[in-house]
């Protein structure tokens, strides 16, 4: 099919894309099958370009090529691997504006957020480069004389990465940069609805690696979930699968991989809450909540879904929040004045419409928004809803800009409701009382993976481990010691004496 808008966006050619780009890279070559997928702009649902998808045969070719290159990459010293990741970061810096524009065009988030997503990859390259010189084990005391114990960490091998449409560049970067310095090879299946971002990002990684003599360390297999995704999750040659997506699909991935005793990193749904107490800086809380709720048109896994307000500040806060929504400019994500772009696709609009109908059926009151914006694009109104705290729909993550507001008596009631959902990703408490904060982060506080104070629920730094509990999947990516998931641990004991004492004082004379 002839593309409609390719020539309209010069940054596409700058990223090495074509009107019909190939969706598989391995062994130093780009290739594909005959099946194509359109890259559709959420702004007006026009076709930008097409991508030719990878097939099951290409998947097998990727695996075999990576197996052939595995030993050379694993045996390269970690600081040398880190230097290559540093070079990848430099190349991404050069392409930041173009890649950020492509994310805005194909995913639908505004240009500033697209640029921010690319910056995350640059930052994780820097982090990983430093990590390559500080990967560490432990020396442990032995109970036996003349013995020493230590921990040794080695690469897993091939890591499969399956990413979602909402962060089509950054999530691969989190996994790839850490995995690469750990000595792993990365096999990537990006979202079927953001194929150009996957191809453009993979080109940058692949070009740098090729300059350094490696043709398959990062391989892209941009196929369907039914074909490529299922092959990856069932493949014993892929000891770790990192999956970002819905809880429903994540449960399938987790079960499939665990049956073959593989490992998973699961980054699944979020149903994130902010608690605002009457001792908080309310103006700061208002700004944080507005961005967390409407940013990326509510399509972040960390997007704000629920606000719990102490009852004596509820009316004033909600009134100001509703007023702030009226000032948000909705429109073309490539327009620098836009604050909220479209939902990613028509399916997202249907999900939004169905949620609004269900809210009404469950007695919810729409304070602002609640409508689809007529036109060619996938635009909806950011929505604020009053509804009973125990309503069934509040338990569900709707991947759209729908925010529920509730009254609570005190911090203890708020913590109860924060935790009373199946998901456990991000949470935040606004307070100026340290007693409240330390209760919030303690054993009876928030049960989420991200537990914030006086900031919004969305927007995490790369230095900390990112991920959540319960139906969010339990995986961790990015910083802190998340690198341990990409390696295998050996407890190593050496006897440097001339006797053979047994542990636990056992006597066994022969």
């Amino acid at each position: 099919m002839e593309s409609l808008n390719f020539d309209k966006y010069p940054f596409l050619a700058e990223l090495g894309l074509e009107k019909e780009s190939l969706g598989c890279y391995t062994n130093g070559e780009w290739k594909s099958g005959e099946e194509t997928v359109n890259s559709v702009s959420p702004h007006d649902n026009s076709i930008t370009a097409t991508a030719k998808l990878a097939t099951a045969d290409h998947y097998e070719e990727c695996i075999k090529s990576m197996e052939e290159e595995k030993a050379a990459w694993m045996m390269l010293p970690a600081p040398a691997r880190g230097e290559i990741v540093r070079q990848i970061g430099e190349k991404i810096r050069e392409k930041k504006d173009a890649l950020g524009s492509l994310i805005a065009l194909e995913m639908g988030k505004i240009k500033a957020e697209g640029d921010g997503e690319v910056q995350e990859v640059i930052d994780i390259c820097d982090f990983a480069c430093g990590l390559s010189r500080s990967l560490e084990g432990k020396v442990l005391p032995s109970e036996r004389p003349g013995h020493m114990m230590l921990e040794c960490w080695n690469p897993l091998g091939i890591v499969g990465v399956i990413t979602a449409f909402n962060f089509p560049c950054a999530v691969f970067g989190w996994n790839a940069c850490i995995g690469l310095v750990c000595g792993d090879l990365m096999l990537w299946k990006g979202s079927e609805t953001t194929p150009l971002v996957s191809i453009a990002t993979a080109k940058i990684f692949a070009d740098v690696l090729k300059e350094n003599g490696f043709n398959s360390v990062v391989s892209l297999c941009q196929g369907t979930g039914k074909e490529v995704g299922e092959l990856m999750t069932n493949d014993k040659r892929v000891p770790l699968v990192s999956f970002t997506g819905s809880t429903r699909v994540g449960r399938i991935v987790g079960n499939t991989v665990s049956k073959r005793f593989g490992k998973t990193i699961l980054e699944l749904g979020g149903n994130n809450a902010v608690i605002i107490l009457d001792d908080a800086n309310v103006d700061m809380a208002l700004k944080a909540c507005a961005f967390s709720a409407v940013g990326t048109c509510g399509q972040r896994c960390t997007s704000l879904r629920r606000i719990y307000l102490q009852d004596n500040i509820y009316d004033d806060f909600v009134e100001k929040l509703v007023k702030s929504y009226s000032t948000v400019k909705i429109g073309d994500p490539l327009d620098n004045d836009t604050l909220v772009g479209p939902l990613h696709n028509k399916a997202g609009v249907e999900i939004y419409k169905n949620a609004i109908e269900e809210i009404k059926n469950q007695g919810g009151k729409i304070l602002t928004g609640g409508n689809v914006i007529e036109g060619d694009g996938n635009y909806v109104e950011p929505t604020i809803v009053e509804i009973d705290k125990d309503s069934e729909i509040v338990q569900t993550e709707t991947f759209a800009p729908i925010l529920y507001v509730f009254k609570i008596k005190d911090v203890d009631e708020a913590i109860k409701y924060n935790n009373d959902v199946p998901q456990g990703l991000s949470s935040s408490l606004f307070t100026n009382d340290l007693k409240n904060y330390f209760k919030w982060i303690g054993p009876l506080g928030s049960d989420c993976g991200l537990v914030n104070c006086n900031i919004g629920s969305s927007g995490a730094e790369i230095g900390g481990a990112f991920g959540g509990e319960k139906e969010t999947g339990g995986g961790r990516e990015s910083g802190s010691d998340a690198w341990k998931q990409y390696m295998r641990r050996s407890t190593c004991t050496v006897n440097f004496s001339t006797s053979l004492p047994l542990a636990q004082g056992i006597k066994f004379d022969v």
Side-chain angles (χ1 to χ4, degrees), residues 268-460:
L268 311 177
N271 191 354
N272 313 295
V274 164
I275 297 167
I276 305 171
L277 302 181
D278 59 9
D279 67 344
N281 183 326
V282 175
D283 290 338
M284 189 165 68
L286 183 71
K287 292 177 182 178
C289 288
F291 172 74
S292 294
V294 306
T296 324
C297 201
Q299 296 169 108
R300 293 183 178 221
C301 50
T302 56
S303 288
L304 178 59
R305 313 292 181 197
R306 301 173 289 144
I307 300 180
Y308 295 96
L309 290 147
Q310 210 154 9
D311 46 16
N312 58 325
I313 63 171
Y314 178 89
D315 291 336
D316 184 58
F317 186 92
V318 171
E319 181 182 349
K320 290 179 179 177
L321 186 62
V322 169
K323 185 177 180 181
S324 74
Y325 269 45
S326 67
T327 67
V328 172
K329 181 178 178 181
I330 303 168
D332 185 349
L334 285 167
D335 183 337
N336 289 332
D337 293 328
T338 298
L339 293 180
V340 176
L343 289 171
H344 179 57
N345 52 28
K346 292 180 179 179
V349 175
E350 289 302 311
I351 290 170
Y352 172 89
K353 288 166 62 177
N354 292 339
I356 295 297
E357 188 64 29
E358 191 57 37
I359 286 165
K360 294 175 181 177
N361 291 340
Q362 295 183 25
K365 178 183 177 183
I366 294 175
L367 303 180
T368 186
N371 299 301
V372 174
I373 299 173
E374 295 301 323
D376 294 330
N378 306 321
Y379 290 95
V380 299
E381 294 176 347
T383 302
I384 302 174
V385 175
E386 278 186 333
I387 197 168
D388 186 270
K389 291 192 285 289
D390 296 311
S391 298
E392 182 180 354
I393 196 167
V394 177
Q395 299 287 312
T396 304
E397 179 193 38
T398 300
F399 223 54
I402 298 175
L403 175 65
Y404 305 107
V405 291
F406 311 100
K407 292 180 182 178
I408 45 94
K409 297 188 297 294
D410 54 31
V411 67
D412 293 316
E413 183 187 12
I415 290 173
K416 171 188 178 297
Y417 279 103
N418 174 78
N419 296 350
D420 191 29
V421 294
Q423 309 85 0
L425 179 53
S426 185
S427 57
S428 188
L429 171 70
F430 279 83
T431 183
N432 284 320
D433 188 335
L434 285 177
K435 294 193 298 294
N436 291 325
Y437 176 63
F438 284 105
K439 177 181 287 189
W440 176 236
I441 64 173
L444 300 180
S446 172
D447 64 1
C448 296
L450 305 175
V451 184
N452 302 320
C453 185
N454 295 333
I455 61 173
S457 65
S458 67

